[in-house]
Amino acid sequence: MQDSMIINDILQNVSSLPLDEQDFIAQTINKRIHEMRRNEIAERAKEAENNYDTGNVTNGTVNDLMKKL
């Protein structure tokens, strides 16, 4: 509940700014979110490469997978 009140206060404060400043904030937040997602994807790719390098992956069809299970 506390978090939603803080978010509401932030949104009200941003709404009181001129439109160009609101747009700047929105663009900045979007860029930060995209950068964070890129970093997450890069980390997952590193993990996948590590799994591949250490032989912790297999390939085949769904039927092949089901036979192994």
Side-chain angles (χ1 to χ4, degrees):
M1 189 64 144
Q2 182 71 15
D3 288 341
S4 62
M5 292 175 60
I6 292 170
I7 292 170
N8 192 39
D9 289 343
I10 291 169
L11 291 174
Q12 286 179 351
N13 288 332
V14 169
S15 294
S16 69
L17 296 172
L19 190 56
D20 58 333
E21 291 181 18
Q22 290 184 45
D23 188 45
F24 173 77
I25 291 170
Q27 289 179 24
T28 302
I29 290 172
N30 273 330
K31 287 178 185 178
R32 289 180 180 187
I33 290 170
H34 288 133
E35 184 64 28
M36 289 170 57
R37 287 188 177 145
R38 275 192 292 273
N39 289 338
E40 287 177 352
I41 292 168
E43 286 298 317
R44 291 182 71 201
K46 287 178 188 175
E47 182 181 347
E49 285 180 341
N50 185 45
N51 285 333
Y52 181 79
D53 291 342
T54 58
N56 291 331
V57 295
T58 60
N59 60 4
T61 65
V62 172
N63 288 335
D64 295 336
L65 176 63
M66 295 306 289
K67 286 178 188 175
K68 287 183 180 183
L69 294 176

